[in-house]
Amino acid sequence: MKFGIFYELQLPRPWQPGGELQLYQNALDQVELADRLGYDYAWEVEHHFLEEYSHSPAPEVFLAAASQRTKRIRLAHGIMQLTTTHPARCAERIAALDLVSNGRVEFGTGESASVTELQPFGVAFDEKRAIWEEAIRAIIPMFGEGGVEHHGKYFDMPLRNVLPKPVQKPHPPLWVACSQLETIEMAGRRGLGALAFQFLSADAAHAWVHAYYNAFTKRQQKLADYVTNPNLAITSYFMCAETDDEARRRADGIPFFQFALRFYGQSAMRERPAPGTVNLWDEYEKWKRANPEAHQRALSGGLIGSPETLRQKLRKFETSNIDSVILLNQAGKNTHEHICESLELFAREVMPEFHAHIPEHEEWKAKVLAREIELEEIDTQPFRDRYGPNSVQLTPAQAAE
C-alpha cells in the first residue's frame, strides 16, 4: 500500500494579513518533509471561489514550487478541472510541470462539482460530464509529436503543435476524481486511476475494489488512445499522535472539513452563498457547541489515532487490496506543527509495514489484470454511503440557515 498527502489549502476565517502566504509556505514545507520521509504522492486540488474551504485555484503553480523542494515524491493533480480550462492549456501545463519536476507528474482530472465554480467560466452544470469526456479526447493527442486539431461540441481548435511535450511517454499517469462512489466503476471502465473518498468499512472497500477492477478488466471502454492506469486510491481523514485522545484533540479541523462538505453539498447544484455572506468557521463553531456528541463521533472515523490504532485500521483495509491511501490533515485550523509531527510519527511507526507489502500487492494486481485471478462481482448498492452515521450530519434546513 502506498501513501500520499492531500491539500485543499483550507483557510477558515477570521483572515489575518499574511494568512494565505503562511498557508502556502507551511504546505510547501510539509510536502518537502513528506518527500524526505518517503511518502509516495503529494496531491493538490483545484477549486475556485470557495471561501474558507479551498484557496487553491492554481495547483500547477503550487506543485511546480514543490518540485524544486523535493526529489522523489510524485506530484499529483487531484484534480485539474478540465471543464474550466481549454484542453491545450491543460496539456501545456501538465507537460511543463513534468519537465520542471523531471517526470514526476500524476495527471488527475475532474469536472468540478459546484455551479459556483462553473458558472463564471460559462459552463453549464448539467453538461460537465460531457465536457470532461471531450476534453480527455482532445488532450491526449496533444501529448504526442507533431500537430493536432480538434473539432467537437465544446472545443474547436485548428491544427497546432502543443508544446512542450512531457518527460513521461506517452503521457503522465491518468486519474479521475470520484466524488460520488458510483463513479469508481466508471473510472475502471475508462481505464483511469480512481481518486475516491474514504470508505466506511473494509467490506465497502472490498466491494468497490472488485467493482473497479472488474470494470477495468471486463468492461473497459477508453475515451481515447491513452495508456491505462489501474489504480484505486482513497482519501482518508488523518491525524497521528502518541495517543488516540491526543490525535482527536489535534484534529478539530477534520469535523470542519466534513461540516463544510455537508453545509454546501446539500444545496442545489452545490451553489455557495454570495461572497462574504457566510462565515463558515463561525457556523461550524455554532454547530459544534450545539452538537458536542456528534462532534466527538466525527473524530472517530478515518485514520485519527495512535500508531497502533492506525495500524489496526489499515490492516483491515489492506485485505481489500486498495492501491494507495491519501492522507488529509491540512484541514480547518489544524496546526502546521501538529501536521508535521503527524507525518513524522506515521512515517516512522506505521508506513514501513505497509510499504513492505507493495511487491506482494503488485503481484496480485498483475494476476487480476491478466485475468489469472477472477474477482467476484459484488453488489455495491449497500456500500454507497459516502459519509456514514458518525460523520457530521446536517439537515437541508440547517445548511440553509
Side-chain angles (χ1 to χ4, degrees), residues 6 43-47 59 63 75-87 89-91 94 105-113 128-129 131-140 143 171-180 183 186-187 190-196 223 226-227 229 326:
F6 180 82
W43 293 92
E44 176 74 5
V45 78
E46 177 183 348
H47 277 309
L63 293 172
L75 302 169
H77 278 271
I79 48 77
M80 180 180 282
Q81 290 183 7
L82 303 192
T83 47
T84 58
T85 307
H86 189 279
R89 295 293 289 124
C90 294
I94 289 297
V105 174
E106 302 280 324
F107 185 15
T109 69
E111 307 166 7
S112 175
K128 61 191 183 75
R129 173 60 56 85
I131 296 171
W132 171 78
E133 290 183 351
E134 185 179 322
I136 292 287
R137 294 188 180 103
I139 290 169
I140 297 304
F143 290 129
H171 53 74
L174 303 174
W175 301 75
V176 62
C178 302
S179 58
Q180 302 299 320
T183 56
M186 182 276 289
R190 295 308 192 189
L192 305 172
L195 296 170
L223 289 166
Y226 47 73
V227 176
N229 181 30
I326 306 169

Side-chain angles (χ1 to χ4, degrees), residues 26 127 143 157 250 258 318 393:
N26 284 348
E127 293 187 290
F143 290 129
M157 180 173 160
R250 295 181 173 197
Q258 296 180 31
E318 190 177 38
Q393 305 291 320

Side-chain angles (χ1 to χ4, degrees), residues 286-359:
K286 285 191 289 187
W287 173 87
K288 187 167 68 171
R289 288 192 296 271
N291 300 275
E293 292 181 0
H295 176 257
Q296 287 304 305
R297 286 198 303 272
L299 289 166
S300 66
L303 295 171
I304 299 172
S306 67
E308 180 56 31
T309 294
L310 300 194
R311 279 193 294 269
Q312 291 176 9
K313 289 187 175 185
L314 284 168
R315 285 167 186 158
K316 293 178 182 177
F317 278 96
E318 190 177 38
T319 62
S320 70
N321 286 298
I322 291 290
D323 292 292
S324 62
V325 176
I326 306 169
L327 305 169
L328 187 161
N329 69 345
Q330 192 285 308
K333 296 186 180 182
N334 290 354
T335 70
H336 175 58
E337 178 186 10
H338 290 162
I339 291 169
C340 291
E341 289 177 1
S342 179
L343 292 172
E344 290 173 337
L345 184 60
F346 184 87
R348 185 172 65 249
E349 298 195 20
V350 182
M351 194 161 66
E353 173 184 333
F354 300 94
H355 266 176
H357 300 161
I358 290 175

Side-chain angles (χ1 to χ4, degrees), residues 90-164:
C90 294
E92 290 167 344
R93 293 174 185 180
I94 289 297
L97 180 58
D98 211 37
L99 289 166
V100 300
S101 68
N102 198 23
R104 289 188 280 143
V105 174
E106 302 280 324
F107 185 15
T109 69
E111 307 166 7
S112 175
S114 167
V115 68
T116 298
E117 297 184 75
L118 294 170
Q119 190 178 47
F121 297 102
V123 177
F125 188 86
D126 60 359
E127 293 187 290
K128 61 191 183 75
R129 173 60 56 85
I131 296 171
W132 171 78
E133 290 183 351
E134 185 179 322
I136 292 287
R137 294 188 180 103
I139 290 169
I140 297 304
M142 295 176 182
F143 290 129
E145 298 302 320
V148 296
E149 57 187 305
H150 178 84
H151 306 288
K153 180 178 179 181
Y154 301 104
F155 305 106
D156 191 82
M157 180 173 160
L159 182 65
R160 294 290 188 275
N161 191 2
V162 178
L163 300 169

Side-chain angles (χ1 to χ4, degrees), residues 38-72:
Y39 287 85
D40 302 284
Y41 300 97
W43 293 92
E44 176 74 5
V45 78
E46 177 183 348
H47 277 309
H48 303 276
F49 320 120
L50 304 187
E51 295 181 327
E52 300 184 73
Y53 180 74
S54 176
H55 290 229
S56 178
E60 69 280 356
V61 176
F62 179 87
L63 293 172
S67 77
Q68 302 307 292
R69 298 174 59 165
T70 58
K71 293 181 172 61
R72 187 200 55 82

Side-chain angles (χ1 to χ4, degrees), residues 206-330:
H206 178 77
W208 283 110
V209 167
H210 280 227
Y212 174 80
Y213 278 105
N214 279 329
F216 195 103
T217 57
K218 301 175 184 178
R219 297 179 283 276
Q220 191 173 117
Q221 296 175 311
K222 295 200 298 183
L223 289 166
D225 184 18
Y226 47 73
V227 176
T228 58
N229 181 30
N231 271 292
L232 177 52
I234 62 165
T235 303
S236 179
Y237 302 126
F238 171 64
M239 184 64 76
C240 186
E242 292 293 346
T243 67
D244 290 349
D245 286 344
E246 180 64 13
R248 286 191 287 266
R249 187 184 70 80
R250 295 181 173 197
D252 187 56
I254 298 303
F256 170 78
F257 190 100
Q258 296 180 31
F259 178 88
L261 282 176
R262 302 309 292 269
F263 189 88
Y264 291 135
Q266 299 188 70
S267 59
M269 296 184 288
R270 297 185 182 178
E271 185 171 10
R272 269 62 170 179
T277 60
V278 171
N279 184 317
L280 193 59
W281 183 262
D282 281 355
E283 294 296 324
Y284 167 64
E285 287 289 315
K286 285 191 289 187
W287 173 87
K288 187 167 68 171
R289 288 192 296 271
N291 300 275
E293 292 181 0
H295 176 257
Q296 287 304 305
R297 286 198 303 272
L299 289 166
S300 66
L303 295 171
I304 299 172
S306 67
E308 180 56 31
T309 294
L310 300 194
R311 279 193 294 269
Q312 291 176 9
K313 289 187 175 185
L314 284 168
R315 285 167 186 158
K316 293 178 182 177
F317 278 96
E318 190 177 38
T319 62
S320 70
N321 286 298
I322 291 290
D323 292 292
S324 62
V325 176
I326 306 169
L327 305 169
L328 187 161
N329 69 345
Q330 192 285 308

